[in-house]
Amino acid sequence: MEEIVKVPKQAEKGSGLTFWQRTYVPEIVRGLKLTAAHFFGNLAVHIFHLLGLWTEHRGAATVQYPEEMRGYSSRLRSLHRLTKRADGSPRCVACMMCETICPASCIYIVAAEHPDPNIEKYPESFDIDLGKCVFCGFCVEVCPEDAIRMDTHILDFAAYSREEMIWDIHRLLNNEPRRAEGIGQIRKMK
Amino acid sequence: MMEGLAVAAGKVAFSLFVLLNFVMLLTWAERKQSALMQDRIGANRASIFGFTWLGLFHPLADALKMVSKEDFVPAGANRGLHAVAPFVALFFALISFAAIPFGDQLWIGRHPVNLQVIDLNIGLLYVFAAMSMGVYGFVLAGWASNNNFSLLGGLRAASQMISYEITIGAAVIGLVMVFGTINLQTIVHRQGELLLGFLPAWGVFYQPLGFLLFVTAAMAETKRAPFDLPEGESEIIGYFLEYSGIKFGMFLMTDFVETVVVAGLVATLFFGGWQFPYLYRDGFHLPGGGILVLSQQVVCVIQVLTFLSKLAFFCWLSLLVRWTFPRFRYDQLIRLGWQMMLPLSILNVVVTGGVLLLLHR
């Protein structure tokens, strides 16, 4: 047998408030107690910090960004870098896979003949226009040589002009990964 | 004659110094206190030669920014009134502090100096009158801007302040009946006595309901959250919409000045003003008997410091309220003022009158 659920025909309004809640006063005192507890708790922590005590306990949720950085997930897609061979030359063989798959058309490769016949080609120039890049990571997935990666954890590459946003092969090759891993961890920067 | 002028100038200078510095520190305290209440850090970047000092330079940076910004007057605005409005608002807020006593009589040699800028018999009425005059500044600002949103903001300011002024007046009538005077210095003197032998005879112990009503209505008078409907900077657009630069800064300053004035008024009326419990003109009268003798000047300094700490505490409380509660809806605000607070304050007057009649029969 099915259970019959009674649906109330009218919305209930204003019920559930007791007399004291409707007078505001006790609830106002409760709210003030809560915020004042936060105030004095944090004030105590900050005073301890000024005295050099209890510094492992953070007094605020704020991350002081240029001086401090949050940890990122290891699979975060950040600024690109080109990987190198043992002799320091780029692993890239200028196969044009990344330039082809790039949905934003932000990769520009000029190929040249490599002296080693086993490698065949190398990129004479390899520019990425970061002003266009959508950080989809297709170029990394499609690369047959593991020559391009997006694991530097560098996100602050803003520039003052569009030209400066175009990174050439030298900058991409010499991108030192910052590797700021560990979600929820906060690291001091130098 | 010259001595009297010098003393008066000194008192005005001290009073304005306290008031304006409190205002400047309040802009800092507002940021820092709200930050602490919300687990943040607060403004801490303004620096002079690398010193940040907990962000204490931010008020200075604000002032510099306000002064150097463009002073914009919209087309079609009434230029004269548009310029006058912030001055009207700030002026009346500033002068209302003058009647609040910040200390007892200080004896310099054989001359008594009353530590109060103007010793008026009608001190309480003067403060209320000056605070009510301030609303002209806001209505003028709204009207002179030639902008309908500003005009609506000015009207909201006017109706809110008129509604709550009545409650303010009615809430202190009970207190005036208890103390029998509206001279603020005398009211403070009367609060120096003891209730039941140990409790300082502060107004809040005589008039707890009057205190609650007065504080609520006075916060509405300062036009800060949860009563900031005349302003509502980011959403509902207030009377200073068409103001920029230092004129806008003056309106912001008016709010803080009013906060300090209200804090001083609450301290004076309900928390004994400059009275420190058990401290009299000749020193501490300990409750168990015995006197800790202090010189008159030391007593005076303690009293002024007591008043300043009470002022700071009530400013802190005002900021705590401002950063805890969300804004009222406008109909809730008016209903609270007319249907709850006004009847309660009249009830307070009636009950006080009945109790006084019974006690003095």
Side-chain angles (χ1 to χ4, degrees), chain B residues 116-270:
Chain B
Q116 185 184 16
V117 176
I118 38 174
D119 187 8
L120 281 174
N121 281 332
I122 52 156
L124 196 54
L125 291 185
Y126 166 80
V127 177
F128 286 166
M131 279 172 74
S132 335
M133 289 295 284
V135 76
Y136 280 99
F138 313 128
V139 178
L140 271 183
W143 183 79
S145 301
N146 189 30
N147 181 319
N148 288 339
F149 288 110
S150 298
L151 184 61
L152 284 174
L155 289 179
R156 282 201 301 271
S159 66
Q160 174 178 329
M161 294 184 74
I162 289 167
S163 306
Y164 280 83
E165 220 123 65
I166 295 171
T167 308
I168 288 190
V172 288
I173 288 179
L175 196 82
V176 171
M177 285 159 75
V178 171
F179 291 126
T181 175
I182 51 172
N183 183 327
L184 287 172
Q185 186 71 289
T186 318
I187 287 179
V188 177
H189 274 293
R190 295 290 299 278
Q191 296 184 67
E193 296 154 10
L194 289 181
L195 267 179
L196 309 173
F198 67 98
L199 206 60
W202 288 353
V204 66
F205 298 122
Y206 290 119
Q207 293 279 315
L209 180 62
F211 165 69
L212 276 182
L213 292 171
F214 182 80
V215 167
T216 313
M219 272 174 191
E221 192 78 358
T222 62
K223 305 186 295 326
R224 285 162 58 70
F227 301 103
D228 63 341
L229 289 124
E231 302 176 354
E233 291 109 18
S234 48
E235 313 91 5
I236 51 179
I237 309 181
Y239 51 83
F240 51 42
L241 170 65
E242 296 289 1
Y243 281 87
S244 62
I246 194 66
K247 285 184 192 163
F248 175 74
M250 285 168 81
F251 278 124
L252 285 188
M253 238 175 106
T254 309
D255 285 4
F256 285 111
V257 173
E258 279 177 342
T259 306
V260 181
V261 171
V262 163
L265 213 52
V266 171
T268 304
L269 293 175
F270 292 98

Side-chain angles (χ1 to χ4, degrees), chain B residues 293-314:
Chain B
V293 181
L294 293 172
S295 82
Q296 210 270 325
Q297 280 78 11
V298 175
V299 169
C300 225
V301 169
I302 293 177
Q303 284 170 343
V304 173
L305 289 180
T306 307
F307 177 71
L308 292 183
S309 345
K310 284 175 183 172
L311 203 59
F313 173 77
F314 284 107

Side-chain angles (χ1 to χ4, degrees), chain A residues 9-25:
Chain A
K9 285 186 178 157
Q10 280 188 328
E12 288 182 26
K13 276 185 180 175
S15 65
L17 281 186
T18 64
F19 169 75
W20 284 110
Q21 281 173 333
R22 252 176 291 165
T23 58
Y24 289 116
V25 179

Side-chain angles (χ1 to χ4, degrees), chain A residues 22-25 27-28 31-32 35-36 38-40 42-43 46 50 59-62 64-67, chain B residues 32-33 35-42 44-45 54 212 316-317 320-321 323-325 328 332 336 340:
Chain A
R22 252 176 291 165
T23 58
Y24 289 116
V25 179
E27 296 298 302
I28 282 178
L32 287 179
T35 47
H38 271 259
F39 175 79
F40 285 115
N42 288 327
L43 188 66
H46 285 302
L50 279 182
T62 314
Q64 297 277 312
Y65 167 61
E67 290 94 37
Chain B
K32 280 298 191 186
Q33 186 177 337
L36 286 183
M37 284 164 61
Q38 298 169 353
D39 297 347
R40 294 184 285 111
I41 290 179
N44 63 350
R45 292 293 160 136
L54 301 171
L212 276 182
W316 174 83
L317 193 69
L320 190 74
V321 170
W323 285 100
T324 301
F325 299 113
F328 282 98
Q332 291 173 334
L336 180 75
M340 287 177 70

Side-chain angles (χ1 to χ4, degrees), chain B residues 94-109:
Chain B
L94 282 175
I95 62 166
S96 54
F97 195 68
I100 294 175
F102 50 85
D104 200 2
Q105 280 182 334
L106 173 70
W107 290 82
I108 300 174

